Amino acid sequence: MKIVFRAFAEECQTLIHSLAALTLLVMGIVFYSVLYPQPYLHQVPQKLPLLVVDRDRSTTSRTLLRLLDSTEGVRVAAVYGNAPLALADVRDGRGQAALIIPDDFERNVLRGAPSILPVYLDAGYLLPYRVIYRGIKLAAENMGAGVRVQQLEARGIPEKPALALQLRGQFDVRTLYNPAGSYALSIIPAVFILILQQTLLMGSAVLAERLYRPDYARKPSFRHASSARYLAGRLLFLCCLYTVYAVYYTWLLPMVYDLPRAASTGDVLLFLLPFFWACGAAGTAFARLIGKPEYVMMAGLPSSIPFLFLSGVVWPPELMPAAVRALAQILPSTPGITGYLLLSQRGATLFDVLPLWGQLWGLALLFFGLAWLLIRLRAGDRA
């Protein structure tokens, strides 16, 4: 146990005296927690600018404009007399979409004939594209339903039965787990876990870099540093440090940013314990393969986006090749993100995510063995 406590204390001292480690394991944790959620604080895009070309200039077209402006996702930013000018403004970024109301719009509506409304949507941003499309569709459907009710009333059908005829066959949609359909609820909790993994992976590699230096290998204390107990003490320090960060990321930040939280913070911390152990051990092995701390950061930072995609949050795993899915299973972030989302968003308990928890413990043992083997090989080189 003395070796474990000694490793714990030495790892703490190394962190305090290492600017690179402090940057990753302290400043990086705070910086990313503040920076990343900022673009998503509004949850869902609202009142996106719509440019309208009203060629009909009738009472019916003006009614459609009012319905469009009253929707949550769309606001009529400008009304044009010709399409080229409106499309040029969409291209210049003054609007998200351009709607063209044809000159026979009112006549077709009153006759009950189909009327085509050309819409030019900027699909460069997927979420705004969907929001403005739904807004236009909702306004057009509401207007069509209102016209059909008026036609039924003109035939002598009372208002309530006429409304009932329009409601027949409608869907009652109840969205689960992400009612607003926003990126914030689906992506930010997953990215929080990825931030913990990447900072721990690179920070552990920076702290472990001293174990592989030739000058450290010549010290008498290196004999203890090459033992499994010393490695366990180092990882124990990182797990304790990141347990504090886990409370910050999975309990405090969700409360600040109004994100879903798990029913039991204890379940989350227990679930993430092998996750931290696996990341710390992988970082120790990573240090041996990469070498200098600056190389560790250069190799670790670009891997964040691929790891997020491989976790299955951004893209469904079922659509990935089998080899890619298999590769993703050796990354702690894959079961870590999946399990955390089940705990925080779907009301799961630790018992419900036991297979993922077991996978994390398997990865913890795998990377611990790999890190210890590389340290022992370094000791063999010294001998």
Side-chain angles (χ1 to χ4, degrees):
M1 291 300 294
K2 289 183 179 180
I3 296 178
V4 173
F5 289 132
R6 177 180 177 180
F8 190 101
E10 288 187 0
E11 197 75 357
C12 182
Q13 292 177 359
T14 304
L15 172 62
I16 294 174
H17 294 94
S18 173
L19 179 60
L22 283 173
T23 302
L24 286 169
L25 297 177
V26 179
M27 296 174 60
I29 288 291
V30 177
F31 176 74
Y32 283 113
S33 69
V34 175
L35 173 67
Y36 189 80
Q38 295 305 314
Y40 304 99
L41 291 182
H42 294 292
Q43 300 283 340
V44 178
Q46 295 180 343
K47 292 300 178 182
L48 298 172
L50 172 66
L51 310 181
V52 179
V53 180
D54 188 1
R55 292 176 175 172
D56 195 40
R57 297 187 179 276
S58 62
T59 303
T60 305
S61 66
R62 288 191 291 272
T63 301
L64 178 59
L65 292 180
R66 287 194 297 271
L67 290 172
L68 287 168
D69 211 35
S70 65
T71 59
E72 182 181 13
V74 177
R75 64 177 175 87
V76 177
V79 180
Y80 296 80
N82 61 83
L85 182 58
L87 294 176
D89 284 350
V90 171
R91 183 181 61 248
D92 294 339
R94 296 187 179 90
Q96 289 286 335
L99 170 67
I100 299 178
I101 303 177
D103 49 13
D104 57 351
F105 177 68
E106 183 176 60
R107 182 179 59 186
N108 289 335
V109 169
L110 295 178
R111 290 181 176 180
S115 182
I116 298 176
L117 295 173
V119 182
Y120 297 87
L121 291 167
D122 180 2
Y125 295 99
L126 189 57
L127 188 58
Y129 160 78
R130 290 179 176 175
V131 169
I132 202 166
Y133 171 74
R134 285 199 300 265
I136 295 173
K137 184 179 178 182
L138 177 63
E141 289 177 347
N142 288 341
M143 181 176 175
V147 171
R148 288 191 293 271
V149 169
Q150 292 178 358
Q151 291 174 346
L152 292 174
E153 289 180 340
R155 298 176 186 174
I157 300 176
E159 180 181 2
K160 289 186 177 180
L163 287 172
L165 289 174
Q166 296 306 310
L167 296 176
R168 182 176 299 173
Q170 296 294 318
F171 291 101
D172 182 14
V173 180
R174 309 293 177 91
T175 54
L176 302 175
Y177 312 125
N178 189 357
S182 67
Y183 281 157
L185 295 179
S186 60
I187 299 298
I188 288 183
V191 172
F192 280 167
I193 301 300
L194 186 66
I195 290 172
L196 293 175
Q197 171 182 282
Q198 295 301 93
T199 54
L200 178 52
L201 185 70
M202 292 184 288
S204 175
V206 170
L207 291 174
E209 183 264 342
R210 76 182 193 280
L211 301 176
Y212 302 113
R213 292 201 306 260
D215 58 332
Y216 189 80
R218 290 191 292 268
K219 295 181 180 179
S221 59
F222 182 75
R223 179 173 57 87
H224 299 296
S226 61
S227 68
R229 286 175 293 175
Y230 190 91
L231 177 59
R234 291 186 59 252
L235 297 179
L236 180 62
F237 167 77
L238 293 173
C239 287
C240 291
L241 178 65
Y242 267 76
T243 297
V244 177
Y245 293 158
V247 174
Y248 173 60
Y249 267 82
T250 64
W251 182 78
L252 181 60
L253 287 181
M255 186 167 56
V256 171
Y257 293 122
D258 194 23
L259 299 172
R261 288 183 295 164
S264 172
T265 305
D267 284 354
V268 173
L269 297 180
L270 283 174
F271 176 77
L272 292 178
L273 177 61
F275 172 77
F276 296 146
W277 191 279
C279 294
T284 302
F286 191 47
R288 171 61 170 164
L289 299 175
I290 300 299
K292 296 182 180 180
E294 55 269 24
Y295 293 165
V296 168
M297 296 184 190
M298 290 172 60
L301 290 175
S303 63
S304 301
I305 297 300
F307 287 175
L308 183 63
F309 273 89
L310 290 174
S311 69
V313 175
V314 178
W315 191 257
E318 296 80 9
L319 301 181
M320 299 180 187
V324 174
R325 291 201 304 270
L327 176 65
Q329 299 310 311
I330 67 172
L331 302 174
S333 54
T334 300
I337 290 175
T338 302
Y340 174 66
L341 293 180
L342 291 174
L343 290 169
S344 62
Q345 295 187 354
R346 305 202 177 192
T349 63
L350 185 61
F351 179 79
D352 298 322
V353 295
L354 279 181
L356 297 170
W357 200 45
Q359 182 181 351
L360 285 174
W361 277 115
L363 293 175
L365 294 176
L366 172 66
F367 288 120
F368 181 86
L370 177 61
W372 182 60
L373 175 63
L374 292 174
I375 293 174
R376 293 297 297 175
L377 289 176
R378 184 71 184 90
D381 295 342
R382 180 204 173 201

